[in-house]
Amino acid sequence: MARSRKATQPERRVRYAVVGLGHIAQVAVLPAFSHAENSVLSALVSDDSEKLEKLGRKYKVKARFSYDQYEDCLRSGAVDAVYIALPNHLHREYSERAARAGVHILCEKPMAVTEEDCLSMIRVAEENQVKLMVAYRLHFEEANLKAIDIVQSGRLGDPRLFDSIFTMTVKPGDIRLNPRELGGGTLYDIGIYCINAVRNLFGAEPMEVVAFSANNGDQRFLQCEETTSAILRFPGRERLASFTCSFGATDVSSYRVVGTRGELVMDPAYEYAGELKQRVTVDGRTRTRTFSPRDQFAPELISFSDCILRGAAPEPSGWEGLADVRVIRALYRSADTGQPVTLAPFSKDDRPSLEQELSRPPVREPALVNTEAPSE
Amino acid sequence: MARSRKATQPERRVRYAVVGLGHIAQVAVLPAFSHAENSVLSALVSDDSEKLEKLGRKYKVKARFSYDQYEDCLRSGAVDAVYIALPNHLHREYSERAARAGVHILCEKPMAVTEEDCLSMIRVAEENQVKLMVAYRLHFEEANLKAIDIVQSGRLGDPRLFDSIFTMTVKPGDIRLNPRELGGGTLYDIGIYCINAVRNLFGAEPMEVVAFSANNGDQRFLQCEETTSAILRFPGRERLASFTCSFGATDVSSYRVVGTRGELVMDPAYEYAGELKQRVTVDGRTRTRTFSPRDQFAPELISFSDCILRGAAPEPSGWEGLADVRVIRALYRSADTGQPVTLAPFSKDDRPSLEQELSRPPVREPALVNTEAPSE
């Protein structure tokens, strides 16, 4: 069950600038502040004056900046942290500039486009003594944390395999369809959910991967692939994981873990707006549970602010962001070359667990300003 | 709905020898004759005298032969056809000997261990003017044929991807754990269901495949792999299919086809004893349907006997058997070498369709003689 933390007013609230006011910022990040008792929305950064004006009025935020004024924003003394909701290829630059101004960074996933970018962000944050968290909303979500708990508990026996499908119909012109060097493509946007899920369900890092990409030939997919299917090999008692993610098929968001004694199915698994469903079958007996929608973004703010206020280390950290990006890059290398790719050893001690679950009521979808949903 | 063919006595019934009296013969093939009005069980072939004695008495079959007496059986004038239920590496030899004696061949899948074996069986059957069918029970089963019909009808829009899991916990010492040259391993036994399903759902043949095999290190898996995950690329508007099959995980038998407008889930998909479930979601509306258990083996006998009696061409043919074996072999080549494998062009005009659906009531599981279920 979700622990309902008391919404007592903390001594100090962390003041955020939200940088980038696209779809996810408008439908999820800005509304989340009303549920994040230790966080306050203090500034908006965008080049769209209408967004600044309308959203600034709506959320009563007077500090509004263009991207040219980003440095002013960072050094205004009015913000303690940024929430980076920019296109993927800008994550590094805007994160590092924040760090150098002594401002903490909560950065959307994927953390960045390359491993080098991720490592640089980690280093710059550390050298400037600011906290860095990557915004994996499912690290605070009950159904997904419960799944990790069930798999890790041994209730399914030895977990032998993971399989996942994450698909959507992306509209022409959407930023997700950018060329890969700008962080476009299925793996950066949705494949990352499958990778992050299996890494934490298995509590391990893949050692070898292979991928096929495909393209149905639509105009939409001139600059990035339509679909990628991947297989990941995990060490130890050799586990296999597979997933397929596509921008060209109807909405599916599902994963399955099959163990020696039982299986766990999440379907839907990755959504932030609707309910999630979990089906666990052990020794032939099935239990199904539905998790009603909740605000998955406020918990990120609450957890990150708490780390800042308490001087604690965030989970998910920059290393967690890097762990996924290096797999994404290996998979694209495989899809490009037609060869399996061996990954360098990589270990992580810090894993999400039920202890970090946080429950807040769902937000209502707000009216959108100069943006639209990415998919049909 | 299943067409209920009238069980009128045909002018002539095809007389079968069942060759090999292992688990599948005992639980499924022998009992099926009671539902196959145009077929009659006329002879048994086995080296186990207790099986011959007990099963011969039970099914009132007087013509009983050891493998040494196989030729006598074929040339006794008492059989028109054989049902080959032998270990996979013996399929070719026992099929070709039947053909040379002018006896028709209904052969369990996989058709044989290599493409060369399959081609030879096709040629020998043709040169000796006998019919050859490969025993794909799901080619007559309503839920799976309905799935093909739905996908081919365009109700899901353009089918973009297929994903499947087929797993079981195979007992130590089972024949499925044989070395690969004897037709052991996951792909020959259960992967073949995934391959056959997607080939007929997409109505196409894969052009490139890749696979990873894995092994948990159990004694059981000294001679064959525990698990294989595969990705198949299909031509045209580039579709991807993925599946994982394992002998080391709890029972799962499921597939999913995701199209541009909807998805179809079969779960369970491949079972012969229990019910099958189909869930179709189109434009957000879901319909679920359960198919109660039925005898999936009598339809094979009925269809094959009908081909013999009418002089018609069987579906599934030897070419259908070959179509799967060549994919299995390419996948193992990929798993062994770590390289994707390109398949030579191959086309098939003849595909299973709802027209060949046949419904017969389920059989009761009989008492077993010197055999046991392959899995826990």
Side-chain angles (χ1 to χ4, degrees), chain A residues 162-173:
Chain A
F162 168 94
D163 183 51
S164 183
I165 300 278
F166 199 0
T167 54
M168 58 201 280
T169 305
V170 172
K171 293 176 188 165

Side-chain angles (χ1 to χ4, degrees), chain A residues 163 213 215 233 338-340, chain B residues 163 213 226 233 238 338-340:
Chain A
D163 183 51
S213 286
N215 201 314
R233 187 194 306 278
Q339 304 296 312
Chain B
D163 183 50
S213 287
E226 177 207 5
R233 187 194 306 280
E238 272 206 315
Q339 304 295 313

Side-chain angles (χ1 to χ4, degrees), chain A residues 3 5-6 8 10-16 36-40 81 104 106 131 133 140 298-315 355-356 358 360:
Chain A
R3 287 167 302 153
R5 293 197 184 171
K6 270 196 193 162
T8 52
E11 282 166 272
R12 214 193 116 216
R13 293 193 297 172
V14 175
R15 301 165 302 166
Y16 284 81
E37 61 278 1
N38 61 358
S39 311
V40 61
H104 304 286
L106 176 48
K131 306 275 179 205
M133 180 165 125
F140 307 96
E300 300 178 330
L301 296 170
I302 295 167
S303 176
F304 189 55
S305 294
D306 192 51
C307 287
I308 294 168
L309 295 170
R310 291 193 301 112
E315 194 309 303
E355 282 172 30
Q356 60 199 56
L358 267 170
R360 289 295 180 274

Side-chain angles (χ1 to χ4, degrees), chain B residues 217-228:
Chain B
D218 270 15
Q219 286 289 319
R220 281 180 296 169
F221 305 120
L222 286 178
Q223 299 192 294
C224 79
E225 89 280 13
E226 177 207 5
T227 302
T228 295

Side-chain angles (χ1 to χ4, degrees), chain A residues 2 18 26 38 48 69 76 90 186 230-231 240 244 257 267 308 352:
Chain A
V18 171
Q26 291 193 35
N38 61 358
D48 182 325
Q69 300 167 321
S76 64
L90 300 175
T186 61
I231 308 173
L240 293 181
T244 298
V257 180
D267 188 3
I308 294 168

Side-chain angles (χ1 to χ4, degrees), chain B residues 107-126:
Chain B
C107 180
E108 259 301 335
K109 71 194 168 315
M111 182 175 176
V113 179
T114 69
E115 300 94 310
E116 295 68 30
D117 290 343
C118 296
L119 281 167
S120 177
M121 289 164 72
I122 293 169
R123 181 182 56 77
V124 173
E126 201 174 301

